[in-house]
Amino acid sequence: MSYPYQITSFEQYQADYQKSVEDPEGFWGNVAENFEWRKKWDKVLEWNFTEPRIEWFKGAKLNITENCIDRHLSTMADKPAIIWEPNNPEERVRVVTYQRLHKRVCQVAQMLTNNGVKKGDRVCIYMGMVPELAYAVLGCARIGAIHSVVFGGFSAQSIADRLYDAQAAFIITCDGAYRGDKVIPLKSVIDDALIGNRTIKKVIVYTRTRTPVSMIKGRDIWWEDEMEHAEHQIEKDGKVSFPAAEMDAEDPLFILYTSGSTGKPKGVVHSTAGYMLWTNYTFVNVFQYKPGDIHFCTADIGWITGHSYIVYGPLSAGATSLMFEGIPTWPDAGRFWDIVEKHKVNCLYTAPTAIRSLMSFGTNPIQGKDLSSLKVIGTVGEPINEEAWHWYDENIGKKRCPIVDTWWQTETGACLISNLAGVTPAIPSWASLPMPGVQPILVDENGNENTTADEHGIIKGNLCIKAPWPGILRTTYGDHERCRTNYFDTYPGLYFTGDGALKDAKGNYRITGRVDDVLNISGHRIGTAEVENAINMHSGVVESAVVGYPHDIKGQGIYAFVIYNGHHNEESLTRQDINLTVSKIIGPIAKPDKIQFVTGLPKTRSGKIMRRILRKIAEGETVNLGDTTTLLDPAVVEEIKNGRV
Ligand code: WT7
């Protein structure tokens, strides 16, 4: 497979960028010619950001799995699509060729059909990082069912909320998942999530850990049994087939829940054709993928990074995608480097938090590991500090691999701002240049473009995007108005990212972090309101306020200020009680790193919590707290300052 739309020089980047802005329909229409369509589009793009309504490749028909699998079979049937590295390095590696992937995905499609799943149904997937997770995702896409993958670290309550919001009728899960030396009992979490649920008809359970499970008659079925049955049905005359559903370009492909500044996560909806094009185009260009390369994205498929750069981007490009079940620090902190050596990985794509965590072990775990196969290394999820960038560059890329710093979001589907490996310059801690088709703009509070540079030629502002790219979200599930108010209403006519950014005189962007009430903990997005709601669920709590603070490894840590009620004191309501509550309501990833018990919170006369002050205190600032004269009770600030943890 070759990629006629791969950008190979800086000049070509500039030319393509220009074309994409001047004639988006011509530009993306050309790129789209490289995909497999049942029927081509009537119109490349129709849009307005007011409703918002965004339609790419209107009228076109396709199935994304034919693009990710079937079209590669004539030339690449025996090439590895997925290489699976298990949690335990002693366990056998699994190599899934495109041929085998085709069979498995057809089987899943047949299995789902046998169990009553239809086009448009929502299927929740709650699994560990096993190849079956990829088969499940693609099996849904093959029949046009909408997958909603939920990360294995979310609690039963979080799953229950997501099942309800999506009105899901089916679940695919595992008995358990391995994570380092732990076993996570996934099916048991699902059982808890299903108490009181009225929409789920079937739960399909894949056996991974042999963790004891309770299988409920009529509802719970084994993946293995169902797949065996399906295998006979899809094989005819020595051939394997399961016809892919014909989907509209704009049919939803999946829902992925993500946090915002309100208490309730929203279901970001991605379309079929636009998302496919965007993940493929950015995969091929940012990483400069060459056929035969081994691409190792360390994310979990429970997050957007895994959707786009383990499954859809690489597979639609006929690439070999390495899927890793474990964690970077088990059995030891050399795990990533062992994998790179063992599989001769060419591209490693990970997160700043992982880099910083591995940095803390020093360079011993890297000694003697052959990393010479690496050509490109990448980062995503949060701003990368310069120290981590240089450590990555020197110790992993050995100063010969370009680092791509890829900025994007769940809502953007795939990268929006990033250098292209070896093609456009890498600048430490700068995401750098926009992809073709992406038109960033920095605005002030009132939505006016900031054009005044400081003495270093830098412009500052809130990062917005002026026009749609193919992979932009289309709606938030079941609540289009929420999509409008969240992203398109703050600055009318623009998509607002929620991030602040700097721009230099050459047009490079540096992302400075969220400007809303969203935290980025180890590259995972968590809303402060969501954590506060969870803490407030505890009967001993009156009120709480949550802010972020700088954390050496996680990037940001969670700092909670908690007021307990009259019947409690610090002995009867402990930090563990609060942590347990947050784990039950959201999941262990949202547990506060620091909890301070307080008797009051700094509020304005109108009752609004002044987070600015709390944020400063959490950051360790005790002198310059800014203006506190509008506070209802300024004395509370002294108490909070003195009680810092
Ligand atoms: C937020 C999106 C993109 C997939 C993983 C996270 C932050 C992401 C970068 C980067 C600086 C970054 C932003 C963004 N972010 N990548 N390269 N440099 N910040 O997806 O959970 O939707 O979070 O992550 O703040 O808004 P997400």
Side-chain angles (χ1 to χ4, degrees):
M1 201 178 184
S2 74
Y3 317 107
Y5 46 91
Q6 192 167 47
I7 300 168
T8 54
S9 68
F10 191 71
E11 294 66 39
Q12 192 194 343
Y13 162 74
Q14 287 174 313
D16 282 9
Y17 185 83
Q18 184 129 10
K19 257 188 268 168
S20 75
V21 169
E22 281 165 7
D23 176 20
E25 295 201 47
F27 186 82
W28 295 111
N30 268 338
V31 172
E33 293 293 342
N34 296 283
F35 293 80
E36 195 77 26
W37 304 91
R38 294 270 184 95
K39 172 187 173 286
K40 290 217 177 136
W41 48 94
D42 303 318
K43 180 114 177 65
V44 174
L45 173 63
E46 263 180 33
W47 69 287
N48 72 68
F49 274 175
T50 329
E51 297 177 48
R53 184 172 59 87
I54 301 146
E55 291 171 288
W56 281 94
F57 308 105
K58 201 174 173 168
K61 304 281 179 197
L62 74 160
N63 186 287
I64 196 167
T65 70
E66 289 183 336
N67 282 275
C68 287
I69 310 171
D70 304 54
R71 68 166 168 157
H72 307 318
L73 292 179
S74 59
T75 52
M76 296 196 296
D78 299 325
K79 294 268 175 351
I82 296 173
I83 297 175
W84 178 74
E85 173 68 29
N87 178 62
N88 185 339
E90 317 267 283
E91 200 186 329
R92 187 174 57 88
V93 165
R94 287 164 64 183
V95 178
V96 184
T97 61
Y98 273 96
Q99 185 84 64
R100 179 52 60 98
L101 181 63
H102 176 255
K103 177 168 176 183
R104 292 292 179 246
V105 170
C106 287
Q107 261 174 285
V108 173
Q110 179 70 58
M111 163 174 80
L112 294 174
T113 305
N114 291 345
N115 283 287
V117 185
K118 300 209 164 53
K119 185 170 174 170
D121 285 347
R122 276 78 57 215
V123 178
C124 169
I125 303 178
Y126 187 69
M127 299 174 88
M129 284 285 285
V130 285
E132 285 70 16
L133 165 52
Y135 308 160
V137 162
L138 293 162
C140 286
R142 193 149 185 103
I143 63 170
I146 301 169
H147 56 78
S148 164
V149 184
V150 177
F151 175 63
F154 281 112
S155 70
Q157 183 63 53
S158 294
I159 300 167
D161 293 345
R162 286 158 172 74
L163 292 175
Y164 179 77
D165 188 82
Q167 292 289 297
F170 304 90
I171 296 177
I172 308 176
T173 188
C174 300
D175 52 353
Y178 292 119
R179 253 184 89 74
D181 57 4
K182 294 199 188 71
V183 179
I184 320 286
L186 297 180
K187 171 61 166 62
S188 153
V189 179
I190 289 291
D191 290 340
D192 291 346
L194 288 181
I195 297 170
N197 176 286
R198 291 168 173 278
T199 58
I200 293 296
K201 297 182 196 140
K202 286 276 165 66
V203 179
I204 302 175
V205 185
Y206 171 72
T207 310
R208 171 63 183 132
T209 56
R210 303 218 161 260
T211 305
V213 292
S214 113
M215 298 291 281
I216 303 297
K217 206 175 286 167
R219 187 193 74 184
D220 300 351
I221 50 180
W222 291 109
W223 166 288
E224 291 76 8
D225 297 344
E226 297 297 312
M227 284 288 271
E228 194 186 309
H229 179 56
E231 185 168 14
H232 301 303
Q233 294 170 282
I234 59 164
E235 275 176 328
K236 283 182 201 91
D237 315 320
K239 275 216 181 103
V240 166
S241 74
F242 184 95
E246 186 168 288
M247 305 302 288
D248 194 88
E250 280 296 323
D251 276 338
L253 176 63
F254 66 85
I255 305 171
L256 187 58
Y257 284 87
T258 191
S259 298
S261 33
T262 60
K264 192 173 152 252
K266 48 200 172 211
V268 168
V269 177
H270 281 288
S271 71
T272 303
Y275 175 81
M276 171 181 79
L277 228 83
W278 193 239
T279 53
N280 178 293
Y281 182 84
T282 56
F283 171 74
V284 161
N285 281 300
V286 168
F287 303 107
Q288 289 291 304
Y289 186 83
K290 300 283 175 318
D293 282 356
I294 314 280
H295 179 79
F296 176 19
C297 166
T298 70
D300 191 291
I301 294 179
W303 307 107
I304 190 71
T305 309
H307 282 63
S308 302
Y309 295 113
I310 297 177
V311 182
Y312 289 112
L315 298 179
S316 66
T320 299
S321 183
L322 194 147
M323 184 174 172
F324 174 42
E325 184 186 38
I327 56 170
T329 49
W330 190 85
D332 59 53
R335 192 67 170 107
F336 278 1
W337 324 130
D338 289 332
I339 295 175
V340 169
E341 179 175 88
K342 178 170 168 187
H343 297 286
K344 300 200 168 33
V345 169
N346 303 109
C347 174
L348 172 71
Y349 188 33
T350 193
T353 186
I355 298 169
R356 286 191 300 263
S357 145
L358 293 173
M359 251 171 95
S360 71
F361 291 87
T363 52
N364 270 349
I366 310 167
Q367 297 306 318
K369 309 283 162 74
D370 181 4
L371 306 183
S372 61
S373 56
L374 286 175
K375 297 199 285 192
V376 175
I377 56 181
T379 125
V380 62
E382 53 175 310
I384 181 162
N385 48 311
E386 292 205 28
E387 195 193 351
W389 195 98
H390 287 293
W391 186 89
Y392 198 31
D393 185 37
E394 281 156 31
N395 296 290
I396 307 307
K398 315 283 185 195
K399 292 196 150 240
R400 43 166 206 87
C401 302
I403 296 181
V404 286
D405 179 352
T406 64
W407 172 82
W408 54 294
Q409 313 178 294
T410 304
E411 294 85 345
T412 70
C415 296
L416 290 203
I417 304 181
S418 172
N419 51 314
L420 312 180
V423 172
T424 66
I427 314 166
S429 88
W430 288 69
S432 79
L433 297 168
M435 293 291 121
V438 175
Q439 302 182 54
I441 171 173
L442 298 181
V443 302
D444 65 17
E445 247 94 276
N446 304 316
N448 299 316
E449 181 165 14
N450 279 345
T451 47
T452 333
D454 68 9
E455 68 273 25
H456 308 289
I458 306 278
I459 299 173
K460 226 175 160 169
N462 291 343
L463 179 61
C464 295
I465 315 288
K466 279 193 254 184
W469 59 96
I472 188 173
L473 86 162
R474 300 301 196 266
T475 188
T476 45
Y477 193 80
D479 193 350
H480 193 61
E481 178 59 10
R482 193 160 178 218
C483 173
R484 192 185 70 80
T485 51
N486 256 285
Y487 307 105
F488 300 94
D489 197 35
T490 317
Y491 306 116
L494 300 174
Y495 166 81
F496 177 42
T497 64
D499 279 316
L502 309 178
K503 181 186 176 180
D504 73 7
K506 289 187 171 156
N508 291 299
Y509 290 87
R510 176 185 199 153
I511 313 302
T512 50
R514 302 289 303 197
V515 294
D516 52 8
D517 289 324
V518 170
L519 304 179
N520 191 325
I521 314 297
S522 300
H524 301 148
R525 204 202 288 193
I526 295 166
T528 51
E530 220 181 317
V531 183
E532 287 165 3
N533 288 350
I535 295 175
N536 297 348
M537 295 284 281
H538 194 289
S539 65
V541 172
V542 177
E543 197 181 3
S544 64
V546 163
V547 296
Y549 71 97
H551 187 288
D552 284 348
I553 308 259
K554 297 176 167 187
Q556 268 189 315
I558 302 180
Y559 197 122
F561 299 88
V562 178
I563 306 177
Y564 46 76
N565 69 29
H567 309 294
H568 284 272
N569 55 44
E570 279 188 45
E571 259 131 58
S572 65
L573 175 68
T574 64
R575 296 189 167 84
Q576 280 100 312
D577 295 333
I578 301 218
N579 277 332
L580 189 63
T581 311
V582 173
S583 290
K584 291 263 186 222
I585 304 292
I586 305 175
I589 50 170
K591 276 194 297 199
D593 299 276
K594 292 186 178 181
I595 297 171
Q596 180 179 349
F597 291 109
V598 295
T599 60
L601 292 166
K603 288 190 179 170
T604 60
R605 273 170 246 279
S606 59
K608 219 176 145 254
I609 297 173
M610 292 192 70
R611 290 167 183 286
R612 176 176 53 80
I613 294 175
L614 293 175
R615 226 175 279 132
K616 288 217 160 164
I617 295 175
E619 282 166 11
E621 175 66 67
T622 49
V623 187
N624 297 317
L625 294 180
D627 184 13
T628 55
T629 53
T630 55
L631 283 180
L632 189 59
D633 175 15
V636 77
V637 174
E638 279 311 304
E639 178 214 306
I640 297 175
K641 270 196 324 203
N642 297 331
R644 265 193 82 235
V645 289

